[in-house]
Amino acid sequence: MLRKIRLTLAVICFVLITGLFLDFTGTIHAWFGWLAKVQFLPALLALNVGIVIALLLLTLVFGRVYCSVICPLGVFQDIISWISGKRKKKQYRFSYSPAKSWLRYGVLALFIILMVAGVNAIAALVAPYSSYGRIASNLFAPFYQWGNNLLAYWAERMDSYAFYSVDVWMKGLSTFLIALVTAIILFVLAWKNGRTYCNTICPVGTALGFVSKFALFRPVIDATKCNNCSLCSRKCKAACIDFKNHTIDYSRCVTCLDCVDTCKHDALHYEYAYRKREAASPEPEKETNSRRGFLSAATLAVTTAALKAQEKKVDGGLAVIVDKKIPKRATPIVPAGALSLRNFTQHCTACQLCVSVCPSQVLRPSTKLGTLMQPEMSYERGYCRPECVKCSDVCPAGAIHPISVADKSSTRIGHAVWVKENCIPLRDGQPCDNCARHCPSSAILMVPSDPNNPDSIKIPVVNEEKCIGCGACENLCPGRPFSALYVEGHENHSMM
């Protein structure tokens, strides 16, 4: 019964968390966005002390149920392992193996050093929630969006607008490749050995392993009833049950309870671990020694999410519209609510949740080594609308703090820079005021290009004090391949 409850909760959490990365309407976020904020590493970076303490207490009482219920990457591995176990003669394919302590401690120590040094982008490569987020947003989301577009296509032909089509596009080649490689590695490890990643690489699993060794409730072997049949050990995907010595390495046990359901001799129970037994185990010293195990530690090959197939890009059906190119920015642009570039890079776990929910498609993973996979803003596909605060609503790690629409409309995240050579009025001699007409903060004014001639063709002038860096001018400028205006980011955000 306990195992069924655990499985039910794990499936619910997994489906809902996956939905957070797939849902572009915001419906799931409105109800279950808190599931992203109760993930261990994001809560730790966001300094959500209450959540961190609650997760530690949960582990101290029940063992590593976080890894088997709440963590989406752990459940993802369980699904792969379960499918693998459906093969003939593979149901009892695991075996006990001693903890690889040097690897577990080494990964955890390196992870902590990188986090303290502010190199979050590299540390995020092994962070469980972030890794799954990249897999979901880069590998699963395209199929979900293609399915949605197919429904929208048929609904439109039945005069229904219950669905609407969305662009399916690759947000970053480097992030896509990292997500693909991560998924392949996890698939191979889980297919063959179950929770190998969780108990040799994952830093969160290693950290929680410290606490789970002293959990109040955990699987306990009654040596007086055990006949050394080894079924529990061969069913343990964490490879932590030494049936010969009747011991369990609780720092690696993820409390999946598979062993309890497998035992045919009533020798394994999930119970209060410190109760006194009438009949003592014949080898208590070995049971004590099992607690000295060192801590636990550290694909779905899919096609890339491309743009809509063969979409025509023409102006009036005559001239082909050239795609815009990304300008070189001296300072990256990060969303309002990030407070500063430094705060953003130090807290961001590169989980891609904000990228998944951005309706304007201005957030995309960075390709720079220092901020690899961490989102930054660019305005080739849209601009950051002042009325949208979705990224600040969903960020679980404190990289983007919650911000109101009013505050966002007056937060300067960057400023527009005019590039004379790209401006259509000067380059082509044709009047254009797209940037001034669409600027939401009225920061752009059209003035005569010749100060001595009021009737000369007009060009834009940017008031940097009023510019909030939303990118409307850059995105809507008809200049190609580079806009006549582009946005430079601010290292520290400020209010108008």
Side-chain angles (χ1 to χ4, degrees), residues 120-154:
N120 291 23
I122 306 300
L125 290 172
V126 295
Y129 170 72
S130 302
S131 296
Y132 182 76
R134 290 190 293 273
I135 292 173
S137 61
N138 287 278
L139 306 184
F140 299 163
F143 291 102
Y144 179 83
Q145 292 164 353
W146 280 325
N148 169 83
N149 290 351
L150 183 61
L151 289 175
Y153 175 83
W154 288 109

Short mmCIF file of all heavy atoms in Angstrom, two decimals, residues 120-154:
data_model
loop_
_atom_site.label_atom_id
_atom_site.label_comp_id
_atom_site.label_asym_id
_atom_site.label_seq_id
_atom_site.Cartn_x
_atom_site.Cartn_y
_atom_site.Cartn_z
N ASN A 120 27.68 29.07 -11.88
CA ASN A 120 26.47 28.26 -11.83
C ASN A 120 26.23 27.51 -13.13
O ASN A 120 25.62 26.44 -13.13
CB ASN A 120 25.26 29.14 -11.51
CG ASN A 120 25.29 29.66 -10.10
OD1 ASN A 120 26.35 29.75 -9.50
ND2 ASN A 120 24.15 30.03 -9.57
N ALA A 121 26.66 28.09 -14.24
CA ALA A 121 26.38 27.48 -15.54
C ALA A 121 27.02 26.10 -15.64
O ALA A 121 26.42 25.17 -16.20
CB ALA A 121 26.88 28.38 -16.66
N ILE A 122 28.21 25.94 -15.10
CA ILE A 122 28.88 24.64 -15.15
C ILE A 122 28.27 23.70 -14.12
O ILE A 122 28.04 22.51 -14.39
CB ILE A 122 30.39 24.79 -14.90
CG1 ILE A 122 30.99 25.81 -15.89
CG2 ILE A 122 31.10 23.46 -15.03
CD1 ILE A 122 30.83 25.43 -17.35
N ALA A 123 27.99 24.23 -12.93
CA ALA A 123 27.38 23.40 -11.88
C ALA A 123 26.02 22.88 -12.31
O ALA A 123 25.60 21.78 -11.92
CB ALA A 123 27.26 24.21 -10.59
N ALA A 124 25.30 23.66 -13.13
CA ALA A 124 23.95 23.28 -13.56
C ALA A 124 23.96 22.04 -14.44
O ALA A 124 22.90 21.43 -14.65
CB ALA A 124 23.29 24.43 -14.31
N LEU A 125 25.12 21.65 -14.94
CA LEU A 125 25.19 20.46 -15.79
C LEU A 125 24.78 19.20 -15.05
O LEU A 125 24.27 18.25 -15.66
CB LEU A 125 26.61 20.29 -16.35
CG LEU A 125 27.07 21.31 -17.40
CD1 LEU A 125 28.55 21.14 -17.69
CD2 LEU A 125 26.25 21.17 -18.68
N VAL A 126 25.00 19.16 -13.72
CA VAL A 126 24.67 17.97 -12.95
C VAL A 126 23.52 18.21 -11.98
O VAL A 126 23.12 17.29 -11.26
CB VAL A 126 25.90 17.44 -12.17
CG1 VAL A 126 26.97 16.97 -13.13
CG2 VAL A 126 26.45 18.50 -11.22
N ALA A 127 22.97 19.42 -11.93
CA ALA A 127 21.84 19.71 -11.05
C ALA A 127 20.61 18.96 -11.57
O ALA A 127 20.25 19.10 -12.74
CB ALA A 127 21.57 21.21 -11.00
N PRO A 128 19.93 18.17 -10.74
CA PRO A 128 18.87 17.29 -11.24
C PRO A 128 17.66 18.02 -11.83
O PRO A 128 17.21 17.69 -12.93
CB PRO A 128 18.48 16.47 -10.00
CG PRO A 128 18.93 17.29 -8.83
CD PRO A 128 20.16 18.00 -9.30
N TYR A 129 17.13 19.01 -11.11
CA TYR A 129 15.94 19.71 -11.61
C TYR A 129 16.27 20.47 -12.89
O TYR A 129 15.49 20.44 -13.86
CB TYR A 129 15.42 20.68 -10.54
CG TYR A 129 14.35 21.62 -11.05
CD1 TYR A 129 13.07 21.15 -11.33
CD2 TYR A 129 14.63 22.96 -11.26
CE1 TYR A 129 12.10 22.01 -11.81
CE2 TYR A 129 13.66 23.82 -11.74
CZ TYR A 129 12.40 23.34 -12.02
OH TYR A 129 11.44 24.20 -12.49
N SER A 130 17.42 21.13 -12.93
CA SER A 130 17.81 21.87 -14.12
C SER A 130 18.01 20.94 -15.31
O SER A 130 17.62 21.26 -16.44
CB SER A 130 19.09 22.67 -13.86
OG SER A 130 18.92 23.55 -12.77
N SER A 131 18.63 19.80 -15.07
CA SER A 131 18.87 18.85 -16.15
C SER A 131 17.56 18.36 -16.75
O SER A 131 17.40 18.29 -17.97
CB SER A 131 19.68 17.65 -15.64
OG SER A 131 20.97 18.05 -15.23
N TYR A 132 16.60 18.05 -15.88
CA TYR A 132 15.32 17.60 -16.41
C TYR A 132 14.59 18.73 -17.12
O TYR A 132 13.93 18.50 -18.14
CB TYR A 132 14.42 17.03 -15.30
CG TYR A 132 13.11 16.53 -15.87
CD1 TYR A 132 13.08 15.33 -16.57
CD2 TYR A 132 11.95 17.29 -15.77
CE1 TYR A 132 11.90 14.89 -17.15
CE2 TYR A 132 10.77 16.85 -16.35
CZ TYR A 132 10.76 15.65 -17.04
OH TYR A 132 9.59 15.22 -17.62
N GLY A 133 14.70 19.94 -16.59
CA GLY A 133 14.06 21.08 -17.25
C GLY A 133 14.55 21.28 -18.66
O GLY A 133 13.76 21.56 -19.59
N ARG A 134 15.86 21.12 -18.86
CA ARG A 134 16.40 21.27 -20.22
C ARG A 134 15.92 20.14 -21.13
O ARG A 134 15.66 20.35 -22.32
CB ARG A 134 17.93 21.31 -20.15
CG ARG A 134 18.48 22.58 -19.51
CD ARG A 134 19.98 22.67 -19.68
NE ARG A 134 20.69 21.64 -18.94
CZ ARG A 134 21.06 21.77 -17.66
NH1 ARG A 134 20.79 22.87 -17.01
NH2 ARG A 134 21.72 20.79 -17.05
N ILE A 135 15.83 18.94 -20.58
CA ILE A 135 15.33 17.81 -21.38
C ILE A 135 13.88 18.06 -21.79
O ILE A 135 13.49 17.87 -22.95
CB ILE A 135 15.46 16.50 -20.58
CG1 ILE A 135 16.93 16.13 -20.41
CG2 ILE A 135 14.70 15.36 -21.28
CD1 ILE A 135 17.16 14.94 -19.49
N ALA A 136 13.06 18.51 -20.83
CA ALA A 136 11.64 18.73 -21.13
C ALA A 136 11.43 19.86 -22.12
O ALA A 136 10.64 19.74 -23.07
CB ALA A 136 10.88 19.01 -19.82
N SER A 137 12.13 20.98 -21.93
CA SER A 137 11.90 22.15 -22.77
C SER A 137 12.54 22.03 -24.15
O SER A 137 12.05 22.63 -25.12
CB SER A 137 12.41 23.41 -22.08
OG SER A 137 13.80 23.33 -21.83
N ASN A 138 13.60 21.24 -24.27
CA ASN A 138 14.29 21.13 -25.56
C ASN A 138 13.92 19.88 -26.34
O ASN A 138 13.96 19.89 -27.58
CB ASN A 138 15.81 21.15 -25.35
CG ASN A 138 16.33 22.52 -24.99
OD1 ASN A 138 16.54 23.37 -25.84
ND2 ASN A 138 16.52 22.76 -23.70
N LEU A 139 13.57 18.79 -25.65
CA LEU A 139 13.29 17.53 -26.33
C LEU A 139 11.81 17.16 -26.34
O LEU A 139 11.30 16.65 -27.34
CB LEU A 139 14.09 16.40 -25.70
CG LEU A 139 15.61 16.61 -25.60
CD1 LEU A 139 16.28 15.37 -25.04
CD2 LEU A 139 16.19 16.97 -26.96
N PHE A 140 11.10 17.40 -25.23
CA PHE A 140 9.69 17.04 -25.16
C PHE A 140 8.78 18.13 -25.72
O PHE A 140 7.78 17.84 -26.38
CB PHE A 140 9.28 16.76 -23.71
CG PHE A 140 10.02 15.63 -23.06
CD1 PHE A 140 10.02 15.47 -21.68
CD2 PHE A 140 10.73 14.70 -23.83
CE1 PHE A 140 10.70 14.43 -21.08
CE2 PHE A 140 11.42 13.65 -23.23
CZ PHE A 140 11.41 13.52 -21.85
N ALA A 141 9.12 19.39 -25.44
CA ALA A 141 8.24 20.50 -25.82
C ALA A 141 7.95 20.57 -27.33
O ALA A 141 6.81 20.85 -27.71
CB ALA A 141 8.83 21.83 -25.33
N PRO A 142 8.93 20.36 -28.21
CA PRO A 142 8.61 20.42 -29.65
C PRO A 142 7.50 19.46 -30.06
O PRO A 142 6.61 19.83 -30.84
CB PRO A 142 9.94 20.07 -30.32
CG PRO A 142 10.98 20.49 -29.34
CD PRO A 142 10.38 20.20 -28.00
N PHE A 143 7.52 18.23 -29.54
CA PHE A 143 6.47 17.27 -29.88
C PHE A 143 5.12 17.72 -29.34
O PHE A 143 4.08 17.57 -29.99
CB PHE A 143 6.82 15.89 -29.33
CG PHE A 143 7.98 15.26 -30.03
CD1 PHE A 143 9.24 15.25 -29.45
CD2 PHE A 143 7.83 14.68 -31.27
CE1 PHE A 143 10.32 14.67 -30.09
CE2 PHE A 143 8.90 14.10 -31.93
CZ PHE A 143 10.15 14.10 -31.34
N TYR A 144 5.13 18.28 -28.13
CA TYR A 144 3.90 18.79 -27.54
C TYR A 144 3.34 19.94 -28.38
O TYR A 144 2.13 20.02 -28.63
CB TYR A 144 4.19 19.25 -26.11
CG TYR A 144 2.99 19.83 -25.38
CD1 TYR A 144 2.07 18.99 -24.75
CD2 TYR A 144 2.78 21.21 -25.32
CE1 TYR A 144 0.98 19.51 -24.08
CE2 TYR A 144 1.69 21.74 -24.65
CZ TYR A 144 0.80 20.89 -24.03
OH TYR A 144 -0.28 21.42 -23.37
N GLN A 145 4.21 20.82 -28.82
CA GLN A 145 3.78 21.98 -29.61
C GLN A 145 3.32 21.56 -31.01
O GLN A 145 2.35 22.11 -31.53
CB GLN A 145 4.93 22.99 -29.70
CG GLN A 145 5.25 23.64 -28.37
CD GLN A 145 6.60 24.33 -28.35
OE1 GLN A 145 7.38 24.21 -29.30
NE2 GLN A 145 6.89 25.04 -27.27
N TRP A 146 4.01 20.58 -31.60
CA TRP A 146 3.55 20.08 -32.90
C TRP A 146 2.16 19.45 -32.77
O TRP A 146 1.32 19.61 -33.65
CB TRP A 146 4.56 19.07 -33.46
CG TRP A 146 5.75 19.71 -34.09
CD1 TRP A 146 5.78 20.88 -34.80
CD2 TRP A 146 7.09 19.23 -34.06
NE1 TRP A 146 7.07 21.16 -35.21
CE2 TRP A 146 7.89 20.16 -34.78
CE3 TRP A 146 7.71 18.11 -33.51
CZ2 TRP A 146 9.26 20.00 -34.95
CZ3 TRP A 146 9.07 17.95 -33.69
CH2 TRP A 146 9.83 18.88 -34.40
N GLY A 147 1.94 18.72 -31.70
CA GLY A 147 0.62 18.14 -31.47
C GLY A 147 -0.44 19.21 -31.29
O GLY A 147 -1.55 19.10 -31.81
N ASN A 148 -0.09 20.25 -30.55
CA ASN A 148 -1.01 21.37 -30.38
C ASN A 148 -1.33 22.04 -31.71
O ASN A 148 -2.48 22.37 -32.00
CB ASN A 148 -0.40 22.39 -29.41
CG ASN A 148 -1.17 23.70 -29.38
OD1 ASN A 148 -2.17 23.83 -28.70
ND2 ASN A 148 -0.72 24.69 -30.14
N ASN A 149 -0.31 22.24 -32.54
CA ASN A 149 -0.52 22.87 -33.84
C ASN A 149 -1.40 22.02 -34.75
O ASN A 149 -2.19 22.56 -35.54
CB ASN A 149 0.82 23.15 -34.52
CG ASN A 149 1.61 24.24 -33.81
OD1 ASN A 149 1.09 24.91 -32.93
ND2 ASN A 149 2.86 24.42 -34.18
N LEU A 150 -1.27 20.70 -34.62
CA LEU A 150 -2.13 19.82 -35.41
C LEU A 150 -3.58 19.95 -34.97
O LEU A 150 -4.50 20.01 -35.82
CB LEU A 150 -1.65 18.37 -35.26
CG LEU A 150 -2.41 17.32 -36.08
CD1 LEU A 150 -2.28 17.61 -37.57
CD2 LEU A 150 -1.91 15.92 -35.75
N LEU A 151 -3.80 20.01 -33.66
CA LEU A 151 -5.16 20.21 -33.14
C LEU A 151 -5.71 21.56 -33.59
O LEU A 151 -6.88 21.68 -33.96
CB LEU A 151 -5.16 20.11 -31.62
CG LEU A 151 -4.94 18.72 -31.02
CD1 LEU A 151 -4.84 18.82 -29.51
CD2 LEU A 151 -6.08 17.79 -31.41
N ALA A 152 -4.85 22.59 -33.55
CA ALA A 152 -5.29 23.92 -33.98
C ALA A 152 -5.67 23.92 -35.45
O ALA A 152 -6.62 24.59 -35.87
CB ALA A 152 -4.18 24.94 -33.71
N TYR A 153 -4.92 23.17 -36.25
CA TYR A 153 -5.19 23.09 -37.69
C TYR A 153 -6.57 22.50 -37.95
O TYR A 153 -7.37 23.05 -38.74
CB TYR A 153 -4.11 22.23 -38.34
CG TYR A 153 -4.32 21.96 -39.81
CD1 TYR A 153 -3.94 22.87 -40.78
CD2 TYR A 153 -4.93 20.77 -40.23
CE1 TYR A 153 -4.14 22.62 -42.13
CE2 TYR A 153 -5.13 20.50 -41.56
CZ TYR A 153 -4.74 21.43 -42.52
OH TYR A 153 -4.95 21.17 -43.84
N TRP A 154 -6.86 21.38 -37.28
CA TRP A 154 -8.16 20.75 -37.50
C TRP A 154 -9.29 21.54 -36.85
O TRP A 154 -10.41 21.59 -37.39
CB TRP A 154 -8.14 19.32 -36.96
CG TRP A 154 -7.32 18.40 -37.81
CD1 TRP A 154 -6.11 17.85 -37.51
CD2 TRP A 154 -7.63 17.97 -39.14
NE1 TRP A 154 -5.64 17.09 -38.54
CE2 TRP A 154 -6.56 17.15 -39.57
CE3 TRP A 154 -8.70 18.19 -40.01
CZ2 TRP A 154 -6.54 16.53 -40.82
CZ3 TRP A 154 -8.67 17.59 -41.26
CH2 TRP A 154 -7.61 16.78 -41.66
#
